[in-house]
Amino acid sequence: MASNSTENITKEKQFAKGISATEPEDKEEKKESLTGGPPVIQRSGSRPQLDLSGAAIHGNFEDRYPTILLPNQSDDISHLALDIGGSLIKLVYFSRHAESLTDDYRKNSLRKKFGGTNGNRRNYPILGGRLHFVKFETSKLNECLDFISSKQLHRGGVDSPIWRGNPSTENIVIKATGGGAFKYADVFRERLGVSLEKEDEMGSLVAGANFLLRAIRHEAFTHMDGQKEFIQIDPNDLFPYLLVNIGSGVSIIKVDGFGKFQRVSGTNVGGGTYWGLGRLLTKCKSFDELLELSQKGDNSQLDMLVGDIYGGLDYSKIGLSASTIASSFGKTISENKELSDYRPEDISLSLLRMISYNIGQISYLNALRYGLKKIFFGGFFIRGHAYTMDTISFAVHFWSKGEAQAMFLRHEGFLGAVGVFMSYEKHGLDDLRAHQLVERFPMGAPYVGGKIHGPPLGNLNEKISWMEKFVQKGTAITAPVPMAPPGTTGMGGFERPSARGNILRSDASAALNVGVLHLVPTLEVFPLLRDPKIYEPNTIDLSHSELEYWFTVLSEHLPDLVDKAVASEGGTDDAKRRGDAFARAFSAHLARLMEEPAAYGKFGLADLLELREECLREFQFGDAYITIKQRENEASLAVLPDLLMELDGMNEEDRLLALIEGVLAANIFDWGSRACVDLYHKGTIIEIYRMSRKKMQRPWRVDDFDTFNKKMLTDKRQQPYKRALLFVDNSGADIVLGMLPLARELLRRGTEVVLVANSLPALNDVTANEIPGIVAEAAKHCDTLRRAAEAGGLLLDAMAGIEDESKASTVSVPLMVVENGCGSPCIDFRQVSSELAEAAKEADLIILEGMGRALHTNLNVRFKCDALKLAMIKNQRLAEKLFGGNIYDCICRFEPAD
Ligand SMILES: CC(C)(COP(=O)(O)O)[C@@H](O)C(=O)NCCC(=O)O
Ligand SMILES: [Mn+2]
């Protein structure tokens, strides 16, 4: 049903009335602004901050989750939540980043075509923003207050219209948990003029864990023998689980659902015990110092091991290896030594192991008692510390005989703060799903684990200056995080020596980064994935040698990329400065990943390639390859008429083969491949295209052309496919001489064609915004394309008024363009745009083109409909690894739906 039908308008009104009648406390008071401007909305504390007045259902009223328009909602939904602990203050805040609401002709036409639901969702105002995680040392409370104040987080953020119009902080309430919420309430009132509303600590921890485990795909990981492995938790099969929070003491909580939990046990031997005894025995000044000492420790100096009892042998009958601790500190009774005879490092490690084992064992016993298999550990004691996690894991694994699993959380330090954040009513974020969240790691994102150094970086200029300072001091940036200013505490401990035997690396380097969570409400899981639950986009695992290879490839490519990026912005001094900062930032990311491959969660090649694009965007490079793209489009469009004529002279079967060959040959134009870029110096675009075509020799490395051809020719009276989604790749010859002619063939055979292209630039990939212009040019030489593009609403009315008779007489199947929701050379089908998801519903053929989309990702992925994967392999190593082949081999893989 169309959204503007009379019936809907009536329903919209009823709906709006319903809301204001049932939720009187939601009403916001409108007051005159103090500056004499328009009325501003006065929020009162933590009360719901959405302005629901005038709310109306938009789109299809029968939808289960219809779009709700809130016309009076300003864009200031910003919440700040705090967890003020004894040593750290954790801060979670939400900043709204509205999508640009510019509507273009292409989008409007799509909306008409697909019934108006997809484009409207972008008006949904609740989501769309970023969730930031920041932490401060509690001893530096002032830095935290300055940060809140500089960003005006307590007033909805610096950009909030509320703050701009209303300097008063009266009645503002910020939610907080942790002891500091009581201890520092007066300081917050004096400094920021706000009151702290206390939230229950345990309830917050559980709410935080529930949210993170359901909304973040790889939040949980196991840690055994120094190896992290991310675990995909099924959000529908999360409960029940055991949450073990190790603070000063230990709470063991059985979680049965949202808001349903019970503290079933605990132990008084926890983080406080380690710190207290450790301080007495080693004279350490801080918890972190004590932990750091343990890195260099050898617990066998104090602990009695199984081997000590059995003369160096294992007690294999009961599964105890010689190195298992039989009695913590047990060795000290038989030795005639004083405390001062033991190294503080060894004492610290023995203590850490004793307490961790004990907690692991008690946790397992509780899991056994309640029949639970999943045990998540959190709390300040863990801090991403490798020995702690390994010891706990060992205990759980050992006592449960491998039945139960100890898991840790990437956002472990933020559980409480996230929980507090979730307690703000009606921000609409509680129901977020993993596909709507994208984690990014910009410079300046906070760091979990280890110490906190340096100020959180605000704008781009601050960021660049900070990096330039490092460079002046000759210090390499090894982590994409603001660390200590040069000359003080160094790079956050990354250069500390590795732990013994290199099995467990230093605490700080092994700890994980936490990025900024981008909430993108319009993203959806691609509906044609055959098995979305087990979908894994990356074809190759970035194991250590693989990571090293890609590290080298991307590092070597960097200078050239910087040149292109700077030139794309006119080569100004500002562009050069940004280019330099980009290079340093991306190198820092690479270095960080080499140091700790799990630093950013489960990270594949697709993520690495996307990180490079994101990093360019972070330093405000809109499209580094824009000039190259335009040049190649023009050159290819110039020869398109000849190609089309040549194709038209062929019979149907030869033509289809020539078209597929053409797609594969034109895929050679890839500015991300070093080998290809070297080729471009050897000839013009058209010369290289011709050379590439000439070299096409069948059978290709994977050659399913005959099966595809058969399917296309099966029944000439019937069109084989109703709608094809063509995932296009590069600009220039690839789209113009490869994919467009193939699209034209499908259109001729009566198949609707949807060209699916990137939402944002990545390398020389064509974007959805660029395609209508290219199609308009191509359509000047081709009637089929012109009529189809008109039918699909791609061309402005009748090619700017050129009337022609054929237009009225023949109705064409449409040619449409949708954006895929990505800004990467690869595609992750767990997160695509809603317009693509909508277009996919009636599609019965998918064509994935290019190395990024069809080889690096999705090579082994099966779809619900027929799929054709086409690519030229432009990397020798990949050709060998995947197909035992060679560079420039071609892949034509056809996978029928059944
Ligand atoms: C980034 C790419 C996947 C893009 O390839 P495309 O999808 O355009 O075919 C590819 O250029 C690539 O893997 N390049 C790096 C490897 C190399 O330089 O050989
Ligand atoms: Mn590409």
Side-chain angles (χ1 to χ4, degrees):
M1 193 193 300
S3 62
N4 55 0
S5 72
T6 337
E7 196 183 347
N8 256 10
I9 292 169
T10 323
K11 282 179 178 172
E12 284 172 6
K13 283 185 185 153
Q14 286 165 353
F15 183 77
K17 261 200 223 153
I19 280 198
S20 45
T22 50
E23 309 211 10
E25 73 276 20
D26 287 344
K27 271 198 229 141
E28 309 279 7
E29 242 183 294
K30 286 206 173 168
K31 287 191 176 174
E32 286 302 315
S33 114
L34 295 177
T35 52
V40 290
I41 303 163
Q42 187 87 35
R43 285 183 304 176
S44 73
S46 65
R47 281 168 50 204
Q49 296 175 9
L50 291 181
D51 185 353
L52 297 173
S53 59
I57 283 193
H58 199 86
N60 195 338
F61 198 82
E62 269 72 42
D63 274 0
R64 202 156 150 233
Y65 302 108
T67 300
I68 302 167
L69 285 183
L70 302 183
N72 300 322
Q73 173 59 45
S74 59
D75 65 352
D76 66 315
I77 311 161
S78 178
H79 298 262
L80 167 64
L82 296 163
D83 176 0
I84 313 175
S87 53
L88 294 175
I89 302 175
K90 279 80 61 177
L91 202 141
V92 170
Y93 71 93
F94 180 70
S95 64
R96 183 169 153 74
H97 285 247
E99 279 178 85
S100 96
L101 291 174
T102 50
D103 262 343
D104 59 23
Y105 188 76
R106 183 188 65 81
K107 277 195 187 295
N108 282 333
S109 315
L110 269 183
R111 207 165 292 161
K112 277 186 212 145
K113 175 82 196 156
F114 297 138
T117 55
N118 59 77
N120 293 337
R121 252 173 252 178
R122 71 212 322 267
N123 291 337
Y124 194 61
I126 296 175
L127 308 171
R130 292 173 195 176
L131 209 49
H132 306 256
F133 303 83
V134 187
K135 64 183 184 177
F136 297 87
E137 281 167 36
T138 310
S139 58
K140 294 176 184 155
L141 176 63
N142 276 336
E143 280 179 15
C144 174
L145 296 168
D146 289 346
F147 177 74
I148 295 173
S149 170
S150 70
K151 289 198 175 296
Q152 289 295 308
L153 295 178
H154 53 310
R155 295 197 254 213
V158 268
D159 297 327
S160 158
I162 291 171
W163 140 238
R164 277 189 260 122
N166 174 30
S168 156
T169 49
E170 216 184 305
N171 290 334
I172 292 184
V173 176
I174 296 174
K175 293 196 176 209
T177 192
F182 295 86
K183 193 169 167 185
Y184 300 115
D186 291 346
V187 185
F188 273 80
R189 196 187 314 278
E190 278 157 32
R191 282 282 315 270
L192 300 174
V194 300
S195 1
L196 296 184
E197 185 178 313
K198 286 91 184 162
E199 286 291 319
D200 171 59
E201 202 160 350
M202 210 157 302
S204 301
L205 279 176
V206 173
N210 283 346
F211 171 76
L212 292 163
L213 283 165
R214 274 166 49 96
I216 300 190
R217 204 170 279 120
H218 295 114
E219 174 63 19
F221 61 93
T222 56
H223 198 288
M224 289 287 259
D225 302 324
Q227 294 297 316
K228 295 185 180 76
E229 195 179 316
F230 289 96
I231 305 287
Q232 179 131 17
I233 304 281
D234 180 351
N236 300 317
D237 188 25
L238 171 63
F239 305 114
Y241 67 84
L242 205 63
L243 180 64
V244 181
N245 184 53
I246 317 176
S248 298
V250 182
S251 289
I252 300 181
I253 307 157
K254 179 173 177 275
V255 184
D256 290 301
F258 294 104
K260 277 169 71 184
F261 63 91
Q262 191 192 349
R263 186 182 191 275
V264 289
S265 187
T267 159
N268 51 347
V269 181
T273 319
Y274 173 57
W275 173 209
L277 276 176
R279 201 178 70 85
L280 290 174
L281 296 172
T282 69
K283 307 275 183 286
C284 264
K285 295 275 179 301
S286 75
F287 185 90
D288 282 324
E289 195 186 329
L290 184 65
L291 259 184
E292 206 171 314
L293 268 188
S294 73
Q295 296 288 140
K296 297 163 217 140
D298 173 3
N299 64 306
S300 70
Q301 298 301 314
L302 297 102
D303 292 345
M304 187 187 285
L305 307 183
V306 168
D308 294 328
I309 305 172
Y310 284 81
L313 301 174
D314 294 346
Y315 182 4
S316 45
K317 208 167 129 192
I318 53 168
L320 294 175
S321 75
S323 61
T324 305
I325 301 170
S327 169
S328 286
F329 289 86
K331 205 180 251 178
T332 60
I333 50 174
S334 57
E335 291 176 331
N336 215 358
K337 286 185 185 171
E338 299 299 316
L339 180 59
S340 56
D341 295 327
Y342 292 99
R343 293 193 325 140
E345 291 86 344
D346 302 339
I347 296 174
S348 177
L349 186 59
S350 285
L351 255 183
L352 182 68
R353 296 217 131 160
M354 176 179 89
I355 290 163
S356 304
Y357 269 129
N358 193 53
I359 294 170
Q361 185 171 3
I362 294 174
S363 304
Y364 157 70
L365 288 172
N366 277 286
L368 184 72
R369 182 172 154 209
Y370 294 101
L372 306 175
K373 298 261 187 291
K374 287 173 282 195
I375 314 176
F376 297 104
F377 290 85
F380 87 81
F381 177 70
I382 294 178
R383 299 186 180 199
H385 195 269
Y387 274 123
T388 312
M389 293 193 283
D390 248 29
T391 310
I392 290 174
S393 300
F394 177 85
V396 171
H397 185 84
F398 178 80
W399 291 110
S400 73
K401 297 191 172 64
E403 288 283 300
Q405 226 174 8
M407 286 178 277
F408 306 91
L409 304 170
R410 284 188 55 228
H411 289 81
E412 180 259 309
F414 288 98
L415 295 189
V418 171
V420 172
F421 179 83
M422 298 318 294
S423 72
Y424 281 103
E425 284 170 63
K426 294 204 173 89
H427 49 38
L429 301 175
D430 6 15
D431 225 22
L432 274 173
R433 285 289 174 274
H435 62 264
Q436 296 168 312
L437 293 168
V438 185
E439 193 173 8
R440 304 266 180 233
F441 296 89
M443 279 284 148
Y447 183 70
V448 162
K451 294 173 182 171
I452 309 146
H453 307 273
L457 302 170
N459 58 30
L460 181 62
N461 201 36
E462 256 177 52
K463 213 178 265 191
I464 296 175
S465 309
W466 175 79
M467 283 161 54
E468 284 169 345
K469 262 184 230 157
F470 265 100
V471 179
Q472 275 164 20
K473 297 263 173 193
T475 323
I477 302 168
T478 57
V481 286
M483 287 292 150
T488 56
T489 38
M491 294 303 299
F494 292 136
E495 283 137 31
R496 278 176 228 162
S498 299
R500 277 173 306 120
N502 272 341
I503 297 171
L504 299 180
R505 278 149 303 134
S506 87
D507 177 25
S509 68
L512 305 180
N513 290 60
V514 157
V516 175
L517 277 185
H518 290 225
L519 320 184
V520 191
T522 49
L523 291 180
E524 292 183 31
V525 178
F526 187 59
L528 292 174
L529 278 181
R530 191 181 280 188
D531 206 341
K533 268 196 179 161
I534 57 157
Y535 175 78
E536 166 57 51
N538 291 288
T539 306
I540 292 177
D541 214 34
L542 274 191
S543 61
H544 218 79
S545 62
E546 206 60 39
L547 183 60
E548 240 163 68
Y549 171 75
W550 287 101
F551 175 94
T552 315
V553 167
L554 298 184
S555 302
E556 285 175 1
H557 192 231
L558 203 49
D560 187 49
L561 175 56
V562 173
D563 285 350
K564 298 264 176 334
V566 172
S568 75
E569 301 270 319
T572 59
D573 284 348
D574 170 63
K576 281 184 196 142
R577 194 167 167 243
R578 285 187 284 124
D580 206 36
F582 155 72
R584 283 174 211 294
F586 187 59
S587 306
H589 280 298
L590 290 176
R592 177 75 183 114
L593 283 164
M594 282 305 290
E595 178 187 56
E596 172 52 71
Y600 300 164
K602 194 169 184 218
F603 216 71
L605 182 54
D607 305 286
L608 197 56
L609 290 168
E610 186 171 9
L611 181 69
R612 180 170 64 177
E613 301 299 334
E614 269 305 311
C615 202
L616 275 170
R617 290 189 266 276
E618 188 184 348
F619 291 93
Q620 291 175 8
F621 290 104
D623 190 345
Y625 289 86
I626 185 78
T627 325
I628 291 172
K629 289 185 350 180
Q630 283 165 355
R631 194 180 66 215
E632 293 193 358
N633 285 342
E634 277 166 27
S636 308
L637 281 163
V639 298
L640 179 67
D642 288 347
L643 175 70
L644 296 183
M645 214 148 66
E646 196 183 315
L647 288 166
D648 288 346
M650 296 177 182
N651 69 40
E652 219 170 41
E653 192 170 342
D654 289 349
R655 192 165 66 234
L656 190 61
L657 178 59
L659 284 163
I660 298 295
E661 229 174 52
V663 169
L664 295 170
N667 193 233
I668 201 165
F669 292 97
D670 167 10
W671 285 86
S673 149
R674 207 180 141 171
C676 290
V677 175
D678 288 345
L679 269 185
Y680 307 150
H681 302 302
K682 298 189 178 138
T684 64
I685 292 160
I686 300 308
E687 281 163 2
I688 291 164
Y689 169 71
R690 293 218 174 97
M691 182 271 297
S692 180
R693 276 207 82 135
K694 228 194 263 165
K695 290 209 167 166
M696 294 270 111
Q697 287 237 335
R698 287 191 70 196
W700 298 311
R701 183 60 58 179
V702 173
D703 193 338
D704 295 338
F705 173 77
D706 294 339
T707 332
F708 177 61
N709 186 37
K710 217 164 159 189
K711 178 83 192 240
M712 290 289 282
L713 296 175
T714 321
D715 187 347
K716 286 209 171 150
R717 283 158 304 163
Q718 271 182 348
Q719 91 235 46
Y721 296 108
K722 182 180 181 308
R723 181 184 289 172
L725 301 182
L726 272 57
F727 290 79
V728 297
D729 182 5
N730 303 323
S731 304
D734 200 345
I735 174 92
V736 177
L737 305 178
M739 290 302 262
L740 264 190
L742 179 62
R744 174 180 178 254
E745 183 67 20
L746 289 162
L747 290 164
R748 277 185 171 176
R749 296 183 190 212
T751 302
E752 293 180 8
V753 174
V754 182
L755 299 175
V756 185
N758 264 18
S759 302
L760 294 171
L763 287 167
N764 58 323
D765 288 358
V766 66
T767 65
N769 278 343
E770 291 159 353
I771 293 186
I774 296 173
V775 170
E777 281 304 310
K780 286 182 185 161
H781 312 288
C782 171
D783 213 40
T784 309
L785 283 177
R786 183 176 60 76
R787 281 185 291 112
E790 275 170 10
L794 267 192
L795 297 184
L796 283 171
D797 222 6
M799 296 278 289
I802 305 165
E803 278 303 326
D804 99 44
E805 280 142 31
S806 60
K807 185 182 161 237
S809 55
T810 19
V811 180
S812 169
V813 284
L815 172 67
M816 293 163 279
V817 175
V818 302
E819 59 174 322
N820 59 13
C822 320
S824 147
C826 300
I827 188 162
D828 181 340
F829 278 111
R830 290 170 301 200
Q831 302 189 292
V832 301
S833 72
S834 52
E835 60 182 52
L836 170 54
E838 197 63 41
K841 284 183 188 150
E842 286 184 34
D844 45 8
L845 173 67
I846 292 174
I847 302 184
L848 279 182
E849 193 228 350
M851 200 156 122
R853 293 170 188 83
L855 303 184
H856 285 327
T857 49
N858 306 306
L859 179 64
N860 303 319
V861 172
R862 300 304 299 262
F863 295 92
K864 286 182 190 159
C865 66
D866 287 6
L868 182 66
K869 296 169 183 171
L870 299 173
M872 178 187 274
I873 321 174
K874 291 149 291 190
N875 176 282
Q876 179 63 29
R877 183 182 164 109
L878 197 76
E880 283 169 27
K881 193 165 176 107
L882 292 182
F883 305 101
N886 285 308
I887 187 162
Y888 307 125
D889 278 355
C890 288
I891 304 302
C892 170
R893 186 185 268 183
F894 181 61
E895 293 164 338
D898 30 64

